[in-house]
Amino acid sequence: MTRPVSAYAPRSERKPLYVKVVTQPALHGCWAVNISETGIGLIATPHTPSEGPREGEDVELSFSLPDSGEHIRVRGVVRWRHDASGAVAAMGVSFRAFEEADGVKLARYLASSHLQVVVAFATEQEARAVTAALEGVAKLHFAASPSDAHALVTRGDAACLVVCGQDEEQALALVESLAARRADADPSGAGPPSDLASRIVYCAPAAPERLVALFNAGRIFRALGPSPTREALHQAVLQAGREHGVRTEQWRMALELERSLLRERALSQKLPPAPVGAAEMRWASAAPPCSG
C-alpha cells in the first residue's frame, strides 16, 4: 500500500544525506546528496547517457536511513536531470507516494536530525569536553579506531569530524586516508563528491607546517590544537556544519543551473533563422497616419 504526498505540501528544508539509493529504472552508482520530506537530490555514474529515468518520468527509489537503518521506499517523478561531463548525472526527484508508513519514518528522521558529528580518538577527558561544548546542538558519534571513524564518516550524514587524541601520527594518518578514499571514490561513483565530504576540525598535536599544508590542500577545515576552549570548539563545529550545508546546496544549484543553460542553448540553436532583412523591413514600413 502506498501513501501519496500532498500536491500542496510546502517545500521543506533540505538536509545533507549521503546514502546509496537503488532506483527503478536502474541507475548505476546512485547516491543521495540531500533530502527533504518532499524530494531528494541524487548523483549517479550511469554506464550510458540513456540509462535510468529521464526528466518527467516516474522512478521508484529505495534507500536506508543512517543510524536507525530504517528502509524507505518511495515513488516519485524526475523534476530535472543533468548529465554533466565526466559521466556523472545529477537529478532532483519529487516524491509522489511512500510505501506503507515510510513517509512517517522519513518525517520522524528529519524532525529529529541534528548536526551529526563524529569524534575520533578522544580520551575520556576530551570526550567530556566535546560533549559539554556541543550539548544540545549536535549528535555525537565516538570512534576509537580508524576503521570506526571511516565507518561513521561514510555512513551518510556526518557533517563534521573532530579529530582528537594525543597520537599525532594516528590523527594525521586518518586525515590523509580519508582524503585518499574520497579521491578514489569520486571517479567511480562509489561515494559522494569530495566537496560534500565531512569537514574536519583538527584538535590533535601536529607540526604547524604540516597543518598549514593540510589546510591549504583543503583536507582540514579548522585546526584548533590539543585541548581547545569550549567556545572555540563550539564555534568551529557549528561553522563546519553551516559551511557543509551551504556547499551542498551550492553544488546542487550549480548543476541545476548548468542544465538550464545547456537546455536554453540547445533550444536557441534549433530556432529557425530570421528572414534576411526582416528587421529592416519592419522599420522601413511607413508609420500609420495620425488620427484626429
Side-chain angles (χ1 to χ4, degrees), residues 269-285:
Q269 291 173 349
K270 292 179 182 178
L271 291 175
V276 176
E280 289 80 1
M281 289 170 61
R282 285 194 298 271
W283 285 106
S285 299

Side-chain angles (χ1 to χ4, degrees), residues 185-204:
D186 282 358
S188 68
S194 59
D195 192 45
L196 307 184
S198 305
R199 301 304 189 249
I200 295 178
V201 176
Y202 192 87
C203 301

Side-chain angles (χ1 to χ4, degrees), residues 35-265:
I35 194 169
S36 71
E37 289 186 41
T38 57
I40 192 169
L42 303 173
I43 56 171
T45 53
H47 293 298
T48 65
S50 61
E51 181 182 284
R54 310 306 303 174
E55 192 168 309
E57 295 181 352
D58 291 341
V59 61
E60 295 182 8
L61 307 176
S62 177
F63 56 92
S64 295
L65 296 174
D67 207 8
S68 67
E70 289 188 302
H71 203 65
I72 302 294
R73 291 167 295 176
V74 60
R75 296 176 184 174
V77 61
V78 179
R79 186 172 58 83
W80 64 272
R81 172 169 171 163
H82 175 53
D83 290 85
S85 58
V88 175
M91 67 178 66
V93 175
S94 295
F95 296 147
R96 282 188 169 174
F98 288 93
E99 189 75 19
E100 301 283 336
D102 288 358
V104 176
K105 295 178 187 176
L106 177 59
R108 185 170 57 237
Y109 167 78
L110 292 171
S112 62
S113 178
H114 293 286
L115 176 64
Q116 304 290 320
V117 177
V118 177
V119 184
F121 314 140
T123 64
E124 289 187 15
Q125 181 178 354
E126 288 173 329
R128 288 194 296 269
V130 172
T131 301
L134 301 176
E135 187 175 6
V137 300
K139 184 172 182 180
L140 304 180
H141 306 270
F142 290 92
S145 67
S147 60
D148 289 345
H150 274 276
L152 287 168
V153 166
T154 58
R155 74 178 203 151
D157 60 349
C160 179
L161 166 65
V162 180
V163 180
C164 300
Q166 302 303 311
D167 188 333
E168 177 178 343
E169 288 308 312
Q170 181 186 51
L172 292 173
L174 176 61
V175 174
E176 297 288 3
S177 63
L178 286 170
R181 184 168 182 168
R182 292 196 298 270
D184 291 340
D186 282 358
S188 68
S194 59
D195 192 45
L196 307 184
S198 305
R199 301 304 189 249
I200 295 178
V201 176
Y202 192 87
C203 301
E209 58 271 18
R210 186 79 179 272
L211 291 176
V212 170
L214 289 172
F215 182 82
N216 289 339
R219 296 184 178 180
I220 59 175
F221 178 74
R222 292 284 186 275
L224 303 181
S227 303
T229 66
R230 179 183 301 187
E231 180 62 21
L233 181 59
H234 180 94
Q235 292 299 323
V237 170
L238 289 185
Q239 289 169 4
R242 283 194 293 268
E243 200 264 355
H244 182 262
V246 167
R247 294 299 289 273
T248 299
E249 184 64 6
Q250 286 176 338
W251 184 85
R252 184 198 67 80
M253 290 177 65
L255 286 175
E256 192 167 359
L257 177 61
E258 182 181 348
R259 163 245 184 205
S260 298
L261 291 174
L262 289 175
R263 168 174 287 185
E264 289 181 7
R265 184 182 303 168

